[in-house]
């Protein structure tokens, strides 16, 4: 088989940030083991208990900006791949942390939004917001109070950048899925779409087989900080 060339699309999930100290969702010690999705990650939850939802995201934001959470070798390897690969490398992340960017990746699409951004429900303005959110805060653009929400995609809402993502998936020759359990659509369906077209090589790099494991042409299992740098080294040296 000729060495892989062409555009690369990399889907990442919470598993790539686990070794940086951030919880995943569905591992035994994951977020959904202690908090119900219906209570904190739906528009109805925000309608019913905005303070409780703000509290949930404030705790995660404080953890992320607190200083102890840094990008790990897997994030850094993907940035190295983007810098040294002759064609496009796009990271499509389900994660709302900023560790890909802090690890050096520049071509990143946050399809589930970003924990460090806020959106005004009155005027639609999105702005960086590393501090706590509360009910009475005023939008810096329209000056309306009490209409700011986390710029995060909740269950039942449409993910962001889907047109750009579908286009990149249709043009790539390599699709990597890293650190995701393959439970949540549309991200979980990307590999099936690619396999149907048959243009790209697909590989899953995860701690354990995901829900969609059987759909991938290749799989490597282990810790992201070990298997991702190794895979990137093989790609860059033409051994894949
Ligand atoms: N290295 C590699 N993979 C890991 C590691 C690690 N150190 N630790 C955990 N994993 C794997 C787990 O085996 C699991 O398959 O990462 C995956 C994490 O899966 P989830 O917790 O389901 O997280 P994710 O797939 O990102 O969830 C998708 O669900 O709740 C929503 O919006 C939320 O974006 C999230 C979406």
């Amino acid at each position: 088989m000729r060495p892989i060339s062409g555009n690369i699309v990399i889907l990442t999930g919470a598993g790539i940030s686990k070794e940086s100290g951030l919880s995943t969702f569905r591992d035994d010690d994951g977020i959904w083991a202690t908090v119900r999705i219906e209570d904190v990650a739906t528009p109805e939850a925000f309608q019913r208990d905005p303070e409780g939802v703000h509290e949930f995201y404030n705790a995660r934001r404080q953890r992320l900006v607190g200083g102890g959470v840094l990008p790990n070798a897997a994030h850094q390897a993907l940035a190295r791949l983007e810098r040294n690969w002759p064609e496009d490398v796009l990271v499509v992340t389900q994660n709302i942390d900023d560790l890909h960017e802090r690890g050096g990746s520049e071509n990143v699409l946050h399809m589930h939004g970003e924990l460090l951004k806020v959106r005004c429900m009155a005027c639609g303005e999105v702005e960086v917001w590393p501090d706590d959110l509360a009910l009475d805060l005023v939008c810096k653009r329209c000056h309306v109070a009490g209409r700011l929400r986390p710029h995060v995609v909740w269950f039942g809402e449409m993910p962001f950048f889907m047109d750009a993502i579908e286009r990149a998936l249709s043009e790539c020759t390599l699709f990597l899925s890293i650190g995701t359990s393959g439970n949540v659509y549309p991200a979980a369906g990307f590999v099936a779409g690619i396999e149907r077209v048959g243009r790209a090589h697909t590989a899953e790099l995860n701690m354990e087989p995901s829900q969609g494991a059987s759909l991938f042409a290749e799989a490597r299992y282990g810790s992201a900080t070990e298997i991702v740098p190794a895979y990137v080294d093989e790609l860059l040296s033409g051994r894949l």
Side-chain angles (χ1 to χ4, degrees):
M1 185 170 112
R2 281 184 309 112
I4 289 174
S5 63
N7 295 345
I8 302 175
V9 173
I10 305 164
L11 173 68
T12 65
I16 199 169
S17 298
K18 180 79 179 287
E19 291 163 90
S20 294
L22 293 181
S23 300
T24 60
F25 292 95
R26 293 171 184 81
D27 285 333
D28 296 346
D29 60 350
I31 293 173
W32 299 145
T34 55
V35 181
R36 283 174 5 112
I37 289 174
E38 301 74 14
D39 293 340
V40 294
T42 65
E44 296 75 18
F46 190 62
Q47 190 74 32
R48 186 175 61 245
D49 177 19
E51 279 163 320
V53 172
H54 279 321
E55 205 175 297
F56 172 67
Y57 287 99
N58 288 347
R60 293 176 66 192
R61 198 178 297 106
Q62 288 161 16
R63 174 105 182 81
L64 182 58
V65 301
V69 173
L70 301 171
N72 62 49
H75 299 106
Q76 290 159 347
L78 297 187
R80 182 157 51 85
L81 180 63
E82 179 186 322
R83 282 195 302 275
N84 296 290
W85 190 253
E87 285 90 13
D88 292 344
V89 174
L90 172 66
V91 172
V92 176
T93 187
Q94 300 172 91
N95 300 339
I96 59 176
D97 64 57
D98 62 341
L99 295 179
H100 281 300
E101 291 85 350
R102 284 163 57 195
S105 287
E106 294 179 4
N107 200 9
V108 181
L109 293 178
H110 284 269
M111 64 182 291
H112 289 169
E114 297 179 68
L115 186 56
L116 302 184
K117 287 184 180 170
V118 69
R119 185 166 81 244
C120 175
M121 294 181 289
C123 71
E125 176 79 352
V126 173
E127 50 192 304
V128 174
W129 196 284
D131 307 315
D132 281 0
L133 272 177
L135 284 185
D136 54 355
L137 292 173
V138 174
C139 171
K140 293 176 185 162
R141 188 176 109 184
C142 70
H143 308 301
V144 169
R147 304 287 286 144
L148 297 181
R149 60 164 280 180
H151 186 52
V152 169
V153 177
W154 286 325
F155 285 88
E157 296 183 323
M158 266 305 285
F160 299 137
F161 308 113
M162 286 309 295
D163 290 346
I165 293 169
E166 297 294 352
R167 202 166 35 256
L169 290 169
S170 69
E171 292 164 2
C172 75
T173 55
L174 175 61
F175 174 70
L176 296 183
S177 176
I178 302 173
T180 181
S181 64
N183 269 289
V184 174
Y185 286 79
F190 290 166
V191 62
I194 290 207
E195 285 296 326
R196 249 195 315 278
V197 171
R199 263 184 50 125
H201 178 61
T202 58
E204 159 168 279
L205 280 64
N206 206 50
M207 184 59 88
E208 62 194 7
S210 72
Q211 295 286 325
S214 61
L215 295 170
F216 287 89
E218 180 187 10
R220 306 221 179 153
Y221 296 118
S223 296
T225 55
E226 284 167 28
I227 62 177
V228 175
Y231 199 87
V232 166
D233 288 345
E234 289 180 41
L235 270 175
L236 290 175
S237 61
R239 282 180 282 135
L240 272 179

